[in-house]
Amino acid sequence: MKKAFLGELIAEAVAMFIIIAIGDSVAAMYTLYDPSPYQTAYWGVCITWGLAVTIAIYTTASISGCHANPAVTLALAFFRKFSWSKVVPYCLAQVAGGFLGAATVYALFSPVIDRFNALHHLTRASGGAAGVFFTHPSLAITPMHAFTDQIILTGILVFGIFAITEQYNEQAPGANSGALIIGFLVAAIGASMGYLEAWAINPARDFGPRLFCFLTGWGSSALPSPDNYWWIPIVAPLIGGVVGGGAYQLLIHQFLPTRNRAITAQMNP
């Protein structure tokens, strides 16, 4: 393996580590403490997840592009000429980073998790405190409804990322502020739709921590999880990423004036 490619994989793992270490920690703060510091300030949870994404981008984007999401990686391969040979290695690195991020959160909060479960007469095997680490549907949301939700939410995410990073978009933020706007996009999705099923919108964000929990006492409550839910935050975001990227290419990209002027100039040198 070439050193440059190894660096890309490490960067993707580090990006997901940052996102999960910060994001699952704020989920722990929201879930485990009574009174919760975020119970009446849910926007704080959303903005913390968004800032985690921003920090990950500023840290790793110059090496790997900071996809930090298999849905983004797949969409970039479909529509932005990202190498197909790198798709699976990037996704595996992202899952590994999510796993290690969850391990760090566990190291920090395991005594609080145990106290929370004891206080509420829960066990890890029954799913006690599982919401700290991975996602699940909320009240009245069936697994198949969640499947549709995750396609839509991830589509919005990737549509926005494509717009923010579009070279021909004259209204896109500058290179140094794009990471912040992507973080705000993640926060906005969470603030407006996050209660549906904790807005996974990222297979590695859900599966890495879920796998960690499977190995540390949550067992079948993590994998395959109630109603065999585990596959939905993987498959639905992958579909949603392609849908969102395709929608951007179809509805916006082809009509950008700067792009069309560049094509005209190439045809008439």
Side-chain angles (χ1 to χ4, degrees):
M1 183 183 296
K2 293 183 178 180
K3 183 177 180 180
F5 184 46
L6 177 61
E8 292 173 29
L9 298 182
I10 292 172
E12 285 298 302
V14 168
M16 275 308 305
F17 173 85
I18 291 170
I19 292 169
I20 296 302
I22 295 174
D24 276 3
S25 287
V26 77
M29 295 281 285
Y30 180 84
T31 302
L32 301 176
Y33 290 90
D34 186 16
S36 168
Y38 292 105
Q39 195 65 55
T40 57
Y42 174 64
W43 174 247
V45 174
C46 300
I47 199 64
T48 302
W49 274 101
L51 286 173
V53 172
T54 294
I55 294 166
I57 294 171
Y58 280 135
T59 303
T60 65
S62 63
I63 300 172
S64 67
C66 191
H67 302 180
N69 185 336
V72 172
T73 298
L74 187 62
L76 290 172
F78 267 102
F79 303 112
R80 292 279 177 92
K81 299 181 180 180
F82 181 72
S83 172
W84 281 100
S85 67
K86 294 182 177 182
V87 169
V88 171
Y90 262 52
C91 293
L92 293 176
Q94 292 155 6
V95 171
F99 184 97
L100 294 174
T104 299
V105 174
Y106 181 81
L108 292 170
F109 287 95
S110 57
V112 189
I113 290 169
D114 291 340
R115 183 182 184 279
F116 173 88
N117 284 342
L119 186 65
H120 293 85
H121 307 290
L122 299 170
T123 65
R124 296 184 189 186
S126 68
V132 169
F133 294 100
F134 53 87
T135 68
H136 55 277
S138 65
L139 181 67
I141 302 298
T142 66
M144 292 316 298
H145 186 92
F147 185 85
T148 303
D149 289 347
Q150 286 301 302
I151 291 174
I152 295 170
L153 269 63
T154 312
I156 293 170
L157 173 71
V158 173
F159 187 97
I161 290 172
F162 272 35
I164 292 165
T165 59
E166 170 62 63
Q167 64 173 321
Y168 295 118
N169 182 5
E170 295 173 300
Q171 298 303 313
N176 291 331
S177 58
L180 183 61
I181 304 304
I182 291 173
F184 281 141
L185 172 62
V186 171
I189 293 170
S192 58
M193 309 169 202
Y195 261 34
L196 291 168
E197 52 273 324
W199 94 105
I201 59 176
N202 182 335
R205 172 268 173 274
D206 190 83
F207 186 70
R210 189 182 292 273
L211 180 60
F212 174 82
C213 288
F214 173 75
L215 298 173
T216 51
W218 277 267
S220 63
S221 66
L223 285 169
S225 75
D227 297 318
N228 202 38
Y229 183 75
W230 70 275
W231 63 274
I232 289 175
I234 297 174
V235 176
L238 291 174
I239 296 172
V242 174
V243 169
Y248 179 81
Q249 296 297 111
L250 178 65
L251 301 175
I252 302 296
H253 178 76
Q254 64 174 319
F255 300 113
L256 289 169
T258 302
R259 170 186 177 271
N260 293 331
R261 286 195 295 269
I263 292 173
T264 299
Q266 290 174 0
M267 295 175 60
N268 303 287

